[in-house]
Amino acid sequence: MYSPTRNSTLTHTLSNVSRHRHVMRSHPSHDGGRTQVTRLSSTPELLAVARETVAQINTLNGWRPVNGLCMAWPPAAVVTENASHTLDMMSTALRASILPNFAPEIGSGCLAEQAGAVQAINDLLLQSYDGVLAFFPAGWDATSTGGQGTWSAPADGAGLLAGFTTLRARGAFLVSANWTAVEGGGGGVADGAEVLSEAGSNCSFVWTVGVGPPVVVREPGGNHVPLLGPGEPSPLGPIYTFATAIGGRYTLWRGKG
């Protein structure tokens, strides 16, 4: 679980960067002499290359290269399949390099560049690189009926595992969501995600929670908002779309089948 108690060093260092910033950032991987942008929606073959590249490089540099944490963390976060492991590696690297003033000691890297590491935290919580919202994308299992992922759950299987408030996503959306443990431990589900539309564009999102399509309601009042067609298949799970109005607030709930 990412919390101020367990990851206090990480929290003190990164919390002052605006929580409203969710910058588009892509990371290339080297594949047979070609450079390609890789993310979780990429082909399994390309993802495998990217993950192996990230693993080998970060093994060599201990997740804290001399040019800055921002060189190691975002590429790992955007392709990881295990958010808990990635966050643990980042936390360990930060503890090994932190100074008394909570600034990381990173060789020749510029201190200001370390703020770029925050993008990795954002990407573990929300990604929207393809114009599609993906809540807690790392560890999502598109074949799972319960949407269980790899975020570590408390031993008693209860409580909040992770959450974020008003992260900015492509399409001029401010998004909030929680990742809550399922009973018995071993994972969690994202439910009750909230979306504020600033531009009134259509909102597309990946949803693997519950049975059947999600339920979208507009707040306040809870008026039902129809989906624009059935879910479209994707590597992360079915993609659903609904129309929004400028300034509209919407809540996404799991379907009941």
Side-chain angles (χ1 to χ4, degrees):
M1 176 180 179
Y2 176 61
S3 68
T5 301
R6 179 178 171 189
N7 299 293
S8 57
T9 302
L10 189 65
T11 302
H12 281 294
T13 305
L14 303 179
S15 61
N16 290 330
V17 178
S18 173
R19 65 179 179 174
H20 298 289
R21 188 178 297 263
H22 188 235
V23 181
M24 164 61 180
R25 182 166 182 153
S26 300
H27 307 281
S29 67
H30 188 71
D31 178 18
R34 298 172 296 161
T35 299
Q36 302 185 42
V37 173
T38 309
R39 40 186 173 257
L40 289 174
S41 58
S42 299
T43 65
E45 294 77 14
L46 189 57
L47 266 178
V49 172
R51 286 167 176 162
E52 181 64 20
T53 301
V54 166
Q56 290 190 20
I57 292 176
N58 283 337
T59 296
L60 292 174
N61 63 38
W63 289 76
R64 48 192 178 102
V66 294
N67 284 332
L69 302 174
C70 56
M71 302 299 293
W73 293 13
V78 82
V79 298
T80 184
E81 56 186 343
N82 191 320
S84 298
H85 175 266
T86 300
L87 187 59
D88 285 344
M89 293 297 99
M90 289 191 264
S91 299
T92 300
L94 191 59
R95 293 190 187 99
S97 59
I98 204 71
L99 296 172
N101 64 352
F102 294 109
E105 185 179 21
I106 308 291
S108 60
C110 174
L111 182 60
E113 292 177 347
Q114 309 314 317
V118 176
Q119 181 60 35
I121 306 299
N122 286 352
D123 281 335
L124 292 177
L125 301 172
L126 174 72
Q127 294 184 26
S128 62
Y129 293 118
D130 297 308
V132 176
L133 306 181
F135 310 100
F136 307 98
W140 279 89
D141 179 4
T143 65
S144 171
T145 57
Q148 295 185 359
T150 57
W151 289 80
S152 298
D156 60 2
L160 178 67
L161 300 179
F164 60 89
T165 303
T166 57
L167 278 181
R168 184 171 295 281
R170 295 192 60 150
F173 299 112
L174 294 178
V175 185
S176 306
N178 290 326
W179 181 258
T180 306
V182 296
E183 294 184 5
V189 295
D191 199 14
E194 299 178 356
V195 176
L196 169 62
S197 176
E198 293 188 317
S201 56
N202 287 352
C203 178
S204 297
F205 60 99
V206 174
W207 197 255
T208 61
V209 180
V211 179
V215 175
V216 180
V217 298
R218 182 167 182 176
E219 307 293 353
N223 293 325
H224 178 75
V225 178
L227 297 172
L228 302 180
E232 298 180 8
S234 80
L236 288 176
I239 297 175
Y240 297 93
T241 302
F242 65 96
T244 74
I246 296 176
R249 294 179 178 272
Y250 305 86
T251 304
L252 283 50
W253 296 102
R254 70 178 70 187
K256 303 300 182 181

